[in-house]
Amino acid sequence: MRKKSKVKSQKLKVRDKRKKALKLPKLKFDKNGLIPAIIQDRKSGDVLMVAYMNKQALKNTVKEGRTCFWSRSRKKFWRKGETSGHIQKVKQILYDCDKDALLIKVDQKGVACHTGQWSCFYRKIL
């Protein structure tokens, strides 16, 4: 039997870029108030990167139509492409059955990885 996790469920309400009120589902953020976001290219299906969002980063992403994340190391918001110009235009946001992970489908402009690779997942184990 699975133990209940001690994560917060939060109901989010924001206005998307079309100024339409949008109710987001009750999501399970971890003890630090974060939820992992898997970023996938909408056209190719390639997984581009994984980053973390807090409640405000998710609201910003919905409102602006481009990805916004919370940096765990720098303790601040960052938007993909703010320095490189390699932005991610959000086309769809899905959440998993446990409500503790996001899948964000984007149109990627340029490369997604800070190393210059298309995807952060370019190294193989098997």
Side-chain angles (χ1 to χ4, degrees):
M1 184 174 253
R2 205 167 127 182
K3 288 184 180 179
K4 278 193 169 186
S5 62
K6 295 179 180 179
V7 293
K8 291 183 195 173
S9 286
Q10 298 181 3
K11 217 175 211 179
L12 306 174
K13 190 175 181 181
V14 295
R15 294 194 176 277
D16 70 8
K17 62 184 178 179
R18 296 172 304 255
K19 307 290 186 231
K20 181 180 171 189
L22 179 67
K23 252 190 194 175
L24 297 175
K26 233 178 167 179
L27 298 170
K28 295 178 184 173
F29 293 83
D30 70 13
K31 66 182 180 191
N32 298 311
L34 301 174
I35 191 167
I38 301 154
I39 310 303
Q40 181 182 45
D41 184 72
R42 178 177 64 104
K43 293 176 185 162
S44 69
D46 294 341
V47 173
L48 300 174
M49 58 182 278
V50 175
Y52 290 85
M53 293 181 162
N54 62 14
K55 185 178 177 181
Q56 189 59 51
L58 179 55
K59 284 181 176 184
N60 292 347
T61 296
V62 171
K63 184 178 179 182
E64 298 169 13
R66 58 181 280 200
T67 53
C68 176
F69 305 105
W70 178 256
S71 171
R72 295 175 297 165
S73 58
R74 295 181 313 231
K75 306 288 188 231
K76 68 176 198 171
F77 292 105
W78 63 280
R79 284 163 178 78
K80 186 66 181 164
E82 64 191 346
T83 56
S84 67
H86 299 164
I87 64 169
Q88 297 171 333
K89 292 185 180 178
V90 176
K91 297 301 176 182
Q92 189 176 33
I93 303 176
L94 300 121
Y95 58 98
D96 74 332
C97 56
D98 292 326
K99 299 181 182 178
D100 62 359
L102 301 173
L103 175 63
I104 303 178
K105 295 186 180 191
V106 301
D107 283 342
Q108 176 70 43
K109 178 182 178 189
V111 299
C113 187
H114 72 280
T115 65
Q117 297 289 324
W118 166 247
S119 167
C120 293
F121 294 93
Y122 61 93
R123 298 179 177 151
K124 293 181 185 178
I125 293 176
L126 184 62

